[in-house]
Amino acid sequence: MTQINSNFLNLQGSYLFSEIAKRRTKFIQDNPQAEIISLGIGDVTRGLPEAVTKAMHAAVDELAVPGTFRGYGPEQGYDFLVNAIIENDYKARGVDIKSNEVFVSDGSKCDVGNIQEIFSTDSIVAVQDPVYPVYVDTNVMAGRSGLFDSGIGRYENIVYLDCTAENDFKPSLPDRKVDLIYLCYPNNPTGMTLTKDELKVWVDYARENNCLILFDSAYEAFITEADVPHSIYEVEGAREVAIEFRSFSKTAGFTGIRCAYTVVPRELKGFDKDGSEVVVNDLWNRRHTTKFNGVSYVTQRGAEAIYSAEGKEQISGLVDYYMTNARIIRDGLASLGLEVFGGVNAPYIWLKTPKGMDSWAFFDKLLSEANIVGTPGVGFGQSGQGYFRLTAFGSRENTEKAVERIRNLSL
Ligand code: PLP
């Protein structure tokens, strides 16, 4: 008899998006004429930048010829992409990252999900609440979470760092010893950020308390304000305590193409059971090269093109497009007296539901009265109750139409 990994039975159903789909399907069945606008799922809608598709076409042609054909590449990524990342994403911001500290991958979802594997299953994990669910679920699979308490909607061994309007979505430091802290900035789902000084508090805490920060920066490209750091390594001392995750998904429309990278500085140390230091970069390198065979050459050439002059201009156009949508939603809802957050340094608008409605009641109201699908905040955690997420990734036309429809609601 083959025993399964019973930790998997401890996972809660992926209730959020299946429940959204169920309610949406039922509504469409009952109202076949309704024209639904989806501002729910965080996928992009614009095409790939031309610089990227041009580079990918050229790379495909290279692969057709024996002299320029490429088979297996370096698991950590080709030098041309790693060097472009280091020069543009780090050196240009005064941050020194070495090529053996960058690991190119097929997505940040995999990286933020896989990273926990190299740490002890006894590690105590802290997450922000509301939270990108991958951080929690991958630790449940690994057996770190303890049981789910359905009364409070939380796992008993996970430390939840509440982020609500009361603390301006800036979590307090953990009130007990933790080993791994997941921080996501700019944040999904709240769209909020930390300043460099605020992030320094976390870096200092991690250095003083021997813990590591797993810094998910998937939305870095959307930062507009000067005091918001683009990389955690802009903070002094972060190289000793932080792993950073970046993705091309939202930056350049790579959600379907798949390319991302993780930075693991050489200074970062963990400890074995005798208390001796272990270089975390070596462990991640070992894991990555054992379980992953590299991102395709064509994809990496496409990612490299993002850093060309033409690519930078086109990406900036994409980001501007989505951030204009964000402003339209944010200003439109604020003018109706709704309390809105995010949307300035991130493509997510997080709103407080009117009149204290719960997140699902507001979902139903928006669907039935305005035919708009958004995401109930409580689906991201208990601290998301009474909030609602709209994304700026739709078309301009739909975004404007959605705001107009909300304007006509009685709220
Ligand atoms: N991290 C956060 C916070 C996200 O919101 C997402 C995607 O929605 C990801 C990571 C996944 O990125 P990727 O497409 O690179 O897997």
Side-chain angles (χ1 to χ4, degrees):
M1 205 166 50
T2 307
Q3 293 280 317
I4 51 93
N5 175 350
S6 54
N7 294 327
F8 278 63
L9 303 180
N10 200 14
L11 287 164
Q12 300 306 296
S14 57
Y15 171 78
L16 178 61
F17 289 105
S18 62
E19 183 63 22
I20 290 175
K22 201 171 97 192
R23 292 189 193 205
R24 177 190 168 127
T25 306
K26 164 116 185 37
F27 182 78
I28 293 172
Q29 275 165 1
D30 297 345
N31 303 274
Q33 313 303 339
E35 185 210 335
I36 304 274
I37 296 178
S38 178
L39 298 181
I41 298 193
D43 199 357
V44 293
T45 52
R46 312 295 294 163
L48 284 169
E50 202 191 331
V52 170
T53 54
K54 258 183 9 200
M56 292 180 82
H57 280 298
V60 168
D61 289 340
E62 278 183 62
L63 295 185
V65 185
T68 48
F69 169 76
R70 314 260 184 146
Y72 291 123
E75 291 96 337
Q76 301 90 338
Y78 283 103
D79 282 347
F80 62 76
L81 178 56
V82 170
N83 291 336
I85 289 168
I86 289 173
E87 285 298 315
N88 292 280
D89 288 346
Y90 293 104
K91 209 173 196 173
R93 296 195 182 278
V95 174
D96 183 28
I97 297 292
K98 303 276 183 297
S99 58
N100 63 353
E101 296 175 326
V102 177
F103 298 85
V104 174
S105 77
D106 61 349
S108 283
K109 186 181 198 175
C110 326
D111 291 347
V112 297
N114 291 329
I115 197 78
Q116 47 76 32
E117 248 184 65
I118 60 171
F119 301 106
S120 161
T121 48
D122 295 332
S123 303
I124 304 292
V125 169
V127 297
Q128 293 169 271
D129 184 346
V131 65
Y132 178 56
V134 176
Y135 314 148
V136 173
D137 284 357
T138 51
N139 279 291
V140 174
M141 291 172 182
R144 290 190 191 88
S145 65
L147 294 175
F148 187 73
D149 181 340
S150 52
I152 56 169
R154 290 181 163 183
Y155 287 95
E156 59 188 2
N157 294 344
I158 294 203
V159 175
Y160 294 86
L161 309 169
D162 294 318
C163 298
T164 61
E166 283 66 44
N167 61 8
D168 203 18
F169 304 94
K170 292 168 185 180
S172 305
L173 293 167
D175 57 5
R176 63 196 119 137
K177 170 76 187 126
V178 300
D179 301 296
L180 297 169
I181 304 172
Y182 289 81
L183 291 181
C184 175
Y185 286 108
N187 188 264
N188 178 16
T190 67
M192 298 296 272
T193 48
L194 293 184
T195 63
K196 194 167 159 184
D197 288 345
E198 287 163 346
L199 191 54
K200 185 171 184 307
V201 172
W202 287 88
V203 170
D204 291 348
Y205 175 85
R207 292 173 79 189
E208 282 155 21
N209 293 277
N210 267 330
C211 48
L212 295 186
I213 297 173
L214 304 172
F215 192 74
D216 186 344
S217 193
Y219 299 95
E220 172 275 337
F222 298 88
I223 293 171
T224 60
E225 291 181 316
D227 60 350
V228 177
H230 286 251
S231 163
I232 194 167
Y233 305 120
E234 289 174 44
V235 177
E236 199 197 326
R239 286 182 55 89
E240 292 162 30
V241 289
I243 294 176
E244 179 162 285
F245 305 91
R246 292 265 191 110
S247 171
F248 297 109
S249 283
K250 310 295 162 76
T251 311
F254 271 49
T255 51
I257 300 283
R258 313 300 307 143
C259 196
Y261 65 87
T262 292
V263 176
V264 188
R266 292 289 303 172
E267 288 93 321
L268 200 87
K269 307 277 171 27
F271 297 90
D272 68 13
K273 45 182 192 325
D274 303 322
S276 304
E277 284 186 344
V278 176
V279 176
V280 172
N281 178 290
D282 288 336
L283 292 189
W284 183 246
N285 189 45
R286 188 74 171 87
R287 189 241 167 248
H288 194 71
T289 52
T290 300
K291 293 196 174 181
F292 187 65
N293 241 347
V295 175
S296 81
Y297 175 69
V298 175
T299 298
Q300 292 192 60
R301 280 293 184 203
E304 180 197 23
I306 292 165
Y307 297 107
S308 66
E310 192 193 355
K312 281 181 186 164
E313 198 183 313
Q314 290 164 6
I315 276 166
S316 147
L318 273 181
V319 168
D320 283 352
Y321 182 92
Y322 293 130
M323 290 311 283
T324 302
N325 285 351
R327 190 176 43 73
I328 290 168
I329 299 173
R330 197 184 144 92
D331 292 354
L333 300 191
S335 74
L336 302 176
L338 287 167
E339 252 188 289
V340 287
F341 307 94
V344 175
N345 296 296
Y348 294 118
I349 288 87
W350 188 245
L351 64 112
K352 186 121 190 64
T353 54
K355 299 192 184 122
M357 285 174 96
D358 82 34
S359 298
W360 280 110
F362 189 68
F363 173 91
D364 288 335
K365 181 177 173 70
L366 218 53
L367 177 60
S368 60
E369 295 175 24
N371 305 159
I372 294 169
V373 176
T375 313
V378 70
F380 297 100
Q382 289 311 303
S383 291
Q385 180 60 279
Y387 292 91
F388 200 79
R389 191 190 76 174
L390 294 172
T391 87
F393 288 128
S395 68
R396 178 66 41 75
E397 191 192 349
N398 277 348
T399 302
E400 284 170 345
K401 220 189 269 180
V403 171
E404 209 39 51
R405 287 187 193 174
I406 296 173
R407 203 181 289 287
N408 294 326
L409 288 179
S410 79
L411 291 172

